[in-house]
Amino acid sequence: MTAGRTEKSSLAKPEKLAAVKGMNDILPPDSARWEWLEDKVRSLMGRYAYRNIRTPILEHTQLFVRGIGEVTDIVEKEMYSFEDRSDKHGDYDHLTMRPENTASLVRAVIEHNLLYDGGKRLFYMGPMFRRERPQRGRYRQFHQIGAEALGFAGPEVDAELILLAAALWKELGLSDWRLEINSLGQPDERALHRAQLIAHFEQHADALDEEAKRRLHSNPLRILDTKNPAMKSVVESAPRLIDFLGPQSLAHFEGLKAILDANSIPWTLNPRLVRGLDYYNLTVFEFVTDRLGAQGTICAGGRYDYLIEQIGGKAAPAVGWALGVERVLELIKEQGAEIALPVPDAYAVIPDASAVPVVLQTLQALRAAGVSVQMHAGANAEGMGSMKSQFKRADGSGAKFALIFGEAELAQGSVAVKPLRGEKAEAAQVQTLQPLGDVAAWASMLRA
């Protein structure tokens, strides 16, 4: 290679990098919508006495194989799994980026013996990962908020969780939803139904698509959840699981419905509502909307009384739900709900860079007093920019006031305060001078 070519290649512009497909950046001001939702959730969870839990993003692959089930789509096709680096003995861990958080939460409950003194109500927020085709409201890195109640067996806690979700929709200003419920009964009841279900589908094998044929003997319940319109009639004529339920399962389901009715929560029985995960039993439910196309489920949950024992803990009942953050935010946007985006109380206009030390001292005092202040900063080394450009940025920031640290004001030990919003600004009210030495005396005016 010649010297000329070497020099040219060393000056080549680096290739522009982009995020992984289906894993999205969340940028301002959109990130403020996420914070708004998260704040609403934290507040509501506190009122229901649910406490926050945070689990690792990486878990041992076996956790999800054992907890979710080997023949589910998640485990078979969608998980991000890899072998970790081996240690000095040549041993390595097989790890997976969590595709859902219920199994992780249960693992943490078992590992730290959280149920030693009774049941626990927990909630979580965070990213999950599944390798599937990205589409509206469904991404490879997606975010879930979940609520789980462990150690409680009765239908009143199933109902409490549904009431919690309904209260959240009210907090968020969402009304275009419906609640669908069903009961999966207990394993022995499901086994009887499974045998009849397989027999039914075998009699109509010609109507099954390839996916249904693949699931016929491994997970026939999932065939009921097909979106293939060509299979609609054969699915609708299939045996209903609810017809196989015994007295205890039916009593649990009736107890749930009675509580929902008493609290004026409308519900629809959907006998085809099932779960793709192996650990569910008894109550299952979904909150559904028609505003998001095919991806209409915004929150789904149910009871999973056998998962704790399945993962290695002492048997204990449990129930919970998870919502998709991206879908909920999309629904909020679709319904036109207004979310107030954060803006500073004041914007500091600085005509001369020499004033910056005094400016920052004043701003720090204001911030300590609870005032949100954005300081103007020069875009280059040539100075702070013109007053016109600074006021343009002050107006664009959404701030209610401009703080003008001019030479004349500073000489008097003051800062000029100019209203930028509301009637005061429209009336072109003369700006006022406020003392730099007593910030606390006028800080509340900026917050009002």
Side-chain angles (χ1 to χ4, degrees):
M1 182 179 292
T2 66
R5 289 182 64 188
T6 302
E7 181 180 355
K8 184 177 180 181
S9 61
S10 66
L11 296 176
K13 186 177 180 180
E15 180 183 356
K16 184 178 179 180
L17 298 176
V20 176
K21 183 179 181 181
M23 299 187 179
N24 304 317
D25 299 309
I26 302 166
L27 310 174
D30 196 44
S31 56
R33 304 177 190 276
W34 288 67
E35 292 178 313
W36 173 83
L37 172 58
E38 291 162 358
D39 287 345
K40 293 282 189 183
V41 168
R42 289 189 187 96
S43 175
L44 186 63
M45 292 293 180
R47 299 204 296 274
Y48 279 70
Y50 281 68
R51 303 295 176 239
N52 185 233
I53 184 171
R54 306 183 186 206
T55 62
I57 285 175
L58 281 178
E59 297 274 8
H60 292 285
T61 302
Q62 190 59 30
L63 171 66
F64 302 111
V65 172
R66 195 188 305 177
I68 298 175
E70 290 188 71
V71 295
T72 58
D73 284 350
I74 295 174
V75 171
E76 288 184 330
K77 299 184 291 187
E78 298 173 1
M79 294 201 313
Y80 282 100
S81 301
F82 62 95
E83 292 178 357
D84 199 7
R85 292 180 180 178
S86 59
D87 60 20
K88 62 182 179 180
H89 304 294
D91 298 324
Y92 57 86
D93 291 322
H94 204 282
L95 305 178
T96 292
M97 298 171 72
R98 61 187 186 194
E100 57 95 44
N101 208 40
T102 300
S104 296
L105 181 144
V106 169
R107 189 269 311 150
V109 167
I110 295 169
E111 182 175 344
H112 302 287
N113 196 26
L114 292 187
L115 299 183
Y116 80 97
D117 61 348
K120 293 290 182 294
R121 291 172 166 89
L122 305 170
F123 80 94
Y124 60 84
M125 296 188 281
M128 312 296 157
F129 304 85
R130 296 185 191 177
R131 196 184 189 288
E132 52 187 349
R133 185 173 62 85
Q135 51 190 296
R136 181 187 182 190
R138 188 170 184 170
Y139 305 104
R140 290 177 172 180
Q141 176 176 314
F142 60 101
H143 298 75
Q144 287 187 340
I145 293 170
E148 314 281 350
L150 304 97
F152 309 101
E156 68 276 4
V157 180
D158 304 25
E160 177 185 78
L161 279 157
I162 292 174
L163 293 173
L164 170 58
L168 179 59
W169 309 144
K170 186 175 181 179
E171 288 274 326
L172 301 179
L174 298 179
S175 57
D176 193 3
W177 55 265
R178 66 181 182 275
L179 170 65
E180 298 181 352
I181 62 174
N182 193 23
S183 177
L184 300 182
Q186 298 292 7
D188 57 335
E189 296 160 348
R190 232 171 19 250
L192 292 173
H193 173 252
R194 175 192 168 97
Q196 294 294 320
L197 198 61
I198 291 174
H200 170 78
F201 286 132
E202 284 179 337
Q203 291 173 5
H204 299 85
D206 292 344
L208 302 183
D209 58 23
E210 291 304 313
E211 186 72 7
K213 290 176 181 176
R214 186 179 68 83
R215 285 173 165 165
L216 180 56
H217 293 282
S218 62
N219 201 350
L221 205 60
R222 291 291 287 131
I223 300 177
L224 299 176
D225 200 30
T226 182
K227 301 297 187 291
N228 186 348
M231 291 178 53
K232 183 178 179 180
S233 61
V234 70
V235 165
E236 288 183 346
S237 62
R240 303 193 318 165
L241 177 53
I242 200 165
D243 295 330
F244 290 78
L245 301 188
Q248 288 186 321
S249 294
L250 287 172
H252 188 281
F253 198 40
E254 292 302 318
L256 167 68
K257 292 189 287 187
I259 297 171
L260 295 180
D261 290 342
N263 285 274
S264 301
I265 301 296
W267 53 269
T268 301
L269 174 64
N270 180 357
R272 306 305 176 196
L273 179 59
V274 296
R275 281 287 170 268
L277 309 184
D278 289 351
Y279 50 64
Y280 284 99
N281 69 302
L282 292 174
T283 304
V284 289
F285 57 89
E286 288 187 0
F287 287 89
V288 182
T289 180
D290 294 322
R291 284 183 171 263
L292 299 179
Q295 302 302 324
T297 301
I298 53 174
C299 176
R303 181 162 283 280
Y304 51 94
D305 291 341
Y306 301 97
L307 180 60
I308 296 176
E309 187 175 23
Q310 194 172 315
I311 290 180
K314 184 179 178 181
V319 59
W321 56 249
L323 66 82
V325 175
E326 286 88 349
R327 292 187 192 178
V328 169
L329 288 171
E330 188 74 21
L331 183 58
I332 291 171
K333 188 183 297 184
E334 281 285 324
Q335 290 199 194
E338 291 294 328
I339 299 176
L341 300 179
V343 295
D345 296 316
Y347 189 101
V349 174
I350 311 169
D352 193 318
S354 64
V356 167
V358 175
V359 172
L360 276 171
Q361 185 179 18
T362 306
L363 300 192
Q364 288 299 88
L366 285 170
R367 289 161 178 159
V371 179
S372 169
V373 190
Q374 181 174 335
M375 182 187 74
H376 181 79
N380 52 53
E382 297 177 2
M384 304 302 289
S386 69
M387 290 284 282
K388 181 179 179 181
S389 66
Q390 291 195 46
F391 268 105
K392 185 176 181 180
R393 290 193 174 276
D395 187 58
S397 73
K400 292 174 284 187
F401 296 93
L403 307 179
I404 308 164
F405 292 85
E407 183 179 357
E409 290 84 2
L410 292 177
Q412 301 176 55
S414 303
V415 58
V417 180
K418 178 178 175 57
L420 297 175
R421 301 283 184 273
E423 295 179 3
K424 293 180 179 180
E426 291 172 7
Q429 176 177 319
V430 178
Q431 61 196 31
T432 60
L433 293 179
Q434 301 296 341
L436 296 176
D438 192 9
V439 167
W442 51 276
S444 59
M445 176 190 70
L446 302 180
R447 298 195 307 268

